[in-house]
């Protein structure tokens, strides 16, 4: 076999492959054997029909077609390996010549990973938010905890802001009650904004047994986005009572003995959260700076596949679970189809570039993924997916996605290397040292790389 590579553009090549006919022998034998098992000829036992009889009865062309279809993947792979190509997706194959007993020639056009030069990234500088926890932040955190321990007691009066009402709901569109528009015994805190627009004004002033009808645009369900006439009936009004903020509350709501100890712990937790957010912000901004430094051509077919994948996932998974279609989603977001398409394409381009650049860094920095790192990443992914580690691991293995997880971890480590080399300052002008959050940084970077590259890896061959 002989092969030649022609570069069509930085991300696409054409392979020309010539195969001497003798190298097709195994595939021809397999073709005769396969046809033997599929046909019957009077006077011959099944599977024992001579090749000359098959040629006479069914045509030599059918045999050649079967043999070539069997042989093409093997010779294509050999040509790819011979050319040391890093291919993406499936090739477009064209048989240019087939001379029985002499020669098979075919071409294969396929996308390839572009050659990327990683420049010196040690000069990258980014600014991130400063880690500042105010007394107001502490008070808000403690107040949220206090809300969780609130108690309610029924009252015989009209409902007011902050009360918890038990209500029955019935939604009609064009005078017809919706199949999924009836709910009973719903608990709702007036002023929380957790249900329908207009419901607060409707229930305020109602006592148990009172009802009102108001107009509201439905946010989900079979009539999402449509205007509905909603009838609400109050079956109970209850007053919320918050516990006193004292040492007794601290002992009730936490493992601490005093309110001051509880507040000190809240401060520490908020600082840790803001440090984590700061590290994630640093990763995102360093990545953006890195991508600005690198010239990354994007294969058009890969981009098209990625855009379609993102749209499909949004429409058939995320929006489907919310009871929305794309048109309703765009209306809620206040976006046109053109704006949505442009944003999706931009995100897809960034995702592909991110994967290419970080994968090149993995190679350049000779980064490896240990079993321990892979296991830790798998457990975190399992937790975020709501599955047990064993269930998630089994799904990953069965789906052949172990290489994808390894890639996520490796890209996370590559981004961590760049972040470590960059200068990160906060809005106060102070240099931020992310070493204390190294483990979290690596994992957050891994998740960012996985999210940015999306399903790009699944589009590759």
């Amino acid at each position: 076999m002989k092969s030649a590579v022609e570069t069509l553009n930085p991300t696409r090549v054409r392979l020309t492959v010539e195969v001497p006919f003798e190298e097709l022998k195994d595939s021809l034998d397999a073709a005769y054997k396969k046809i033997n098992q599929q046909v019957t000829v009077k006077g011959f036992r099944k599977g024992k029909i001579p090749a000359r009889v098959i040629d006479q009865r069914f045509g030599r062309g059918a045999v050649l077609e079967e043999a070539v279809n069997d042989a093409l993947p093997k010779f294509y792979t050999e040509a790819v390996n011979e050319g040391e190509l890093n291919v993406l997706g499936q090739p477009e194959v064209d048989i240019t010549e087939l001379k029985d007993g002499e020669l098979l020639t075919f071409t294969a056009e396929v996308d390839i990973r572009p050659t990327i030069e990683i420049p010196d990234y040690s000069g990258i500088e980014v600014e991130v938010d400063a880690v500042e926890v105010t007394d107001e932040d502490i008070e808000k955190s403690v107040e949220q905890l206090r809300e969780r321990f609130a108690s309610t007691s029924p009252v015989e009066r009209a409902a007011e802001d902050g009360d918890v009402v038990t209500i029955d709901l019935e939604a009609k569109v064009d005078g017809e009650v919706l199949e999924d528009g009836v709910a009973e015994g719903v608990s709702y805190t007036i002023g929380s904004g957790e249900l329908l627009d207009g419901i607060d004004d409707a229930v305020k002033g109602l006592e148990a047994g009172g009802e009102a009808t108001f107009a509201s645009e439905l946010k989900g369900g079979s009539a999402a986005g449509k205007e509905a006439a909603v009838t609400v009936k109050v079956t109970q009004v209850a007053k919320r009572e918050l516990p006193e903020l004292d040492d007794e509350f601290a002992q009730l709501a936490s493992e601490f003995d005093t309110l001051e100890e509880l507040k000190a712990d809240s401060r520490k937790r908020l600082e840790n959260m803001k440090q984590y957010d700061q590290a994630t912000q640093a990763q995102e901004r360093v990545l953006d700076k890195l991508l600005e430094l690198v010239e990354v051509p994007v294969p058009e077919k890969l981009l098209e596949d990625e855009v379609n994948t993102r749209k499909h996932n949004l429409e058939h998974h995320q929006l489907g679970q919310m009871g929305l279609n794309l048109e309703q989603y765009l209306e809620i977001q206040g976006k046109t189809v053109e704006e949505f398409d442009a944003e999706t394409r931009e995100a897809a381009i960034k995702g592909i570039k991110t994967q290419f650049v970080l994968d090149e860094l993995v190679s350049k920095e000779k980064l490896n993924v240990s079993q321990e790192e892979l296991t830790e990443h798998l457990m975190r992914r399992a937790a975020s997916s709501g599955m047990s580690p064993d269930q998630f691991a089994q799904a990953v293995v069965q789906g052949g996605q172990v290489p994808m997880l390894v890639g996520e971890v490796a890209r996370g480590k590559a981004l961590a290397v760049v972040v470590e080399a960059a200068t990160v300052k906060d809005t106060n002008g102070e240099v931020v040292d992310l070493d204390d959050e190294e483990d979290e940084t690596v994992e957050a970077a891994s998740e960012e790389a996985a999210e940015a590259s999306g399903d790009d890896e699944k589009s590759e061959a």
Side-chain angles (χ1 to χ4, degrees), residues 77-368:
T77 302
E78 287 182 10
V80 166
N81 294 336
E82 189 176 283
E84 298 181 343
L85 301 174
N86 197 339
V87 299
L88 305 170
Q90 298 301 313
E92 294 179 6
V93 177
D94 181 27
I95 298 173
T96 56
E97 187 175 14
L98 177 57
K99 290 184 178 180
D100 194 358
E102 295 182 29
L103 185 71
L104 163 67
T105 304
F106 68 91
T107 62
E109 287 191 19
V110 66
D111 287 332
I112 59 169
R113 276 179 178 262
T115 300
I116 299 173
E117 294 293 332
I118 303 293
D120 179 15
Y121 47 78
S122 61
I124 290 178
E125 294 186 10
V126 297
E127 184 180 75
V128 295
D129 295 336
V131 174
E132 296 174 345
V133 178
T134 65
D135 290 341
E136 184 180 347
D137 292 331
I138 304 301
E139 296 301 325
K140 184 178 179 181
S141 175
V142 173
E143 190 63 27
Q144 288 173 342
L145 184 61
R146 188 182 178 208
E147 291 276 353
R148 287 170 51 193
F149 284 85
S151 59
T152 60
S153 55
V155 291
E156 295 183 1
R157 59 164 173 77
E160 302 172 355
D161 266 330
D163 285 344
V164 178
V165 289
T166 303
I167 55 177
D168 297 336
L169 295 165
E170 181 183 80
K172 293 181 179 180
V173 173
D174 298 330
E176 297 290 331
V177 178
L178 300 171
E179 289 185 10
D180 55 355
V182 177
E184 296 180 348
V186 177
S187 181
Y188 176 66
T189 301
I190 300 176
S192 66
E194 294 175 350
L195 278 178
L196 299 166
D197 293 337
I199 193 169
D200 290 333
D201 291 336
V203 296
K204 275 190 294 187
L206 295 181
E207 298 183 17
E211 66 177 56
T213 299
F214 63 100
S216 183
E217 183 179 307
L218 300 179
K219 298 178 181 178
S222 61
K226 292 185 178 180
E227 189 84 3
V230 182
T231 300
V232 55
K233 180 178 180 180
V234 177
T235 58
Q236 179 180 278
V237 179
K239 181 180 179 180
R240 298 180 77 251
E241 297 177 346
L242 298 174
E244 292 294 326
L245 279 178
D246 51 22
D247 292 347
E248 186 176 338
F249 168 70
Q251 293 164 20
L252 170 69
S254 70
E255 70 271 29
F256 302 105
D257 293 327
T258 68
L259 184 61
E260 287 308 309
E261 288 175 333
L262 173 60
K263 288 184 176 181
D265 180 69
S266 294
R267 180 179 293 277
K268 182 179 179 181
R269 285 188 298 102
L270 287 173
E271 285 177 348
N272 289 339
M273 288 172 58
K274 292 200 172 189
Q275 285 173 344
Y276 184 86
D277 290 342
Q278 186 187 64
T280 302
Q281 192 178 65
Q283 294 154 15
E284 293 171 348
R285 294 184 178 180
V286 167
L287 175 61
D288 287 341
K289 289 280 188 180
L290 178 63
L291 293 179
E292 289 175 8
L293 294 176
V294 187
E295 183 70 29
V296 186
V298 175
E300 193 59 39
K301 180 65 167 61
L302 182 64
L303 175 58
E304 180 185 338
D305 290 344
E306 175 63 9
V307 168
N308 290 336
T309 296
R310 289 174 182 250
K311 287 183 177 179
H312 181 274
N313 287 342
L314 175 65
E315 289 189 64
H316 298 279
H317 297 293
Q318 296 162 286
L319 296 183
Q321 293 175 355
M322 297 164 59
L324 297 174
N325 58 35
L326 183 59
E327 183 180 350
Q328 293 165 338
Y329 168 75
L330 293 180
E331 185 176 344
I332 293 171
Q333 294 291 314
K335 295 178 183 176
T336 65
V337 173
E338 291 75 20
E339 289 171 336
F340 168 73
D341 287 343
E343 288 178 6
T344 303
R345 182 180 176 83
E346 184 179 343
I349 290 173
K350 182 179 179 181
I352 294 170
K353 287 185 175 182
T354 295
Q355 182 180 324
F356 285 173
V357 170
L358 293 183
D359 283 348
E360 184 64 28
L361 270 168
V362 169
S363 176
K364 179 180 178 180
E365 301 292 343
K366 296 180 172 59
L367 301 176
N368 296 311

Side-chain angles (χ1 to χ4, degrees), residues 1-4 16-20 23 79 82 103-106:
M1 184 200 81
K2 293 193 304 182
S3 65
T16 300
V17 184
E18 292 184 1
V19 183
E23 294 185 31
E82 189 176 283
L103 185 71
L104 163 67
T105 304
F106 68 91

